[in-house]
């Protein structure tokens, strides 16, 4: 969403408070917040989305922001019904060692092929400390019902 979505309602609350208290200072501040919020929303609208190929190169070089950017783009692609693009970007983030991407790739594979097919991705995430993935491998967990498949 962004800061613009926060500034608009906050400016509205500040404006109403200023009117209620009769404070010209608060009303003036609210106009500044409204203007800043609108400008941020306009700027966000015309901002170019990051290039996944550039993010992949930067992620491979160890740039943590690029890895998070790839994961974000992948989750956006997944929500837009483009699972192939999501999987491609998640795999690139996994190559860079992103634990959260391992989990998300497991979830994507689970939706498509079932829990057994997703198990390697969940195990990879769990071995690297992903808390929710570790729960799958507890005794009685979905991937360790009988206790024979712990981490």
């Amino acid at each position: 969403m962004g800061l613009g979505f926060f500034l608009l309602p906050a400016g509205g609350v500040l404006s109403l408070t200023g009117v209620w208290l009769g404070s010209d200072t608060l009303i003036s501040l609210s106009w500044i917040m409204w203007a800043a919020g609108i400008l941020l929303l306009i700027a966000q609208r015309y901002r170019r989305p990051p290039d996944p190929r550039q993010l992949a190169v930067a992620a491979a070089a160890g740039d943590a922001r690029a890895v998070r950017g790839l994961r974000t783009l992948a989750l956006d692609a997944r929500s837009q019904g483009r699972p192939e693009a999501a999987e491609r970007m998640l795999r690139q983030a996994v190559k860079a060692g992103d634990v959260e991407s391992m989990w998300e790739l497991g979830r994507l594979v689970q939706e498509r092929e079932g829990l057994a097919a997703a198990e390697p991705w969940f195990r990879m995430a769990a071995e690297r400390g992903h808390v929710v993935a570790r729960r799958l491998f507890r005794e009685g967990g979905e991937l360790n019902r009988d206790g024979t498949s712990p981490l």
Side-chain angles (χ1 to χ4, degrees):
M1 290 211 180
L3 184 59
F5 283 105
F6 168 76
L7 288 176
L8 292 176
V13 168
L14 197 60
S15 180
L16 290 173
T17 304
V19 169
W20 188 61
L21 295 176
S23 171
D24 291 336
T25 304
L26 290 179
I27 293 171
S28 296
L29 284 173
S30 73
W31 280 104
I32 293 169
M33 290 177 78
W34 285 27
I38 290 169
L39 290 174
L40 284 170
L41 289 175
I42 290 170
Q44 184 178 0
R45 171 100 166 114
Y46 291 104
R47 187 179 63 187
R48 281 189 314 193
D51 182 2
R53 292 171 297 208
Q54 290 176 344
L55 287 175
V57 169
D63 183 345
R65 279 181 86 190
V67 172
R68 286 190 305 273
L70 267 176
R71 185 178 34 184
T72 300
L73 287 178
L75 295 176
D76 285 346
R78 179 177 171 192
S79 70
Q80 295 168 0
R82 298 181 300 127
E84 299 83 19
E87 183 174 350
R88 186 176 57 253
M89 287 182 272
L90 285 171
R91 285 182 182 273
Q92 291 167 336
V94 166
K95 282 183 190 175
D98 184 44
V99 175
E100 193 63 35
S101 293
M102 295 170 192
W103 168 257
E104 291 297 341
L105 186 55
R107 290 183 56 214
L108 187 68
V109 170
Q110 181 183 10
E111 287 175 8
R112 193 176 52 223
E113 301 171 35
L115 186 60
E119 188 267 340
W121 301 110
F122 289 145
R123 182 174 294 279
M124 188 184 302
E127 288 171 347
R128 286 164 181 80
H130 195 279
V131 176
V132 180
R134 291 182 69 81
R135 289 182 183 166
L136 295 172
F137 294 96
R138 301 187 296 212
E139 192 167 332
E142 288 185 66
L143 291 171
N144 190 17
R145 293 235 185 258
D146 60 1
T148 60
S149 181
L151 287 178

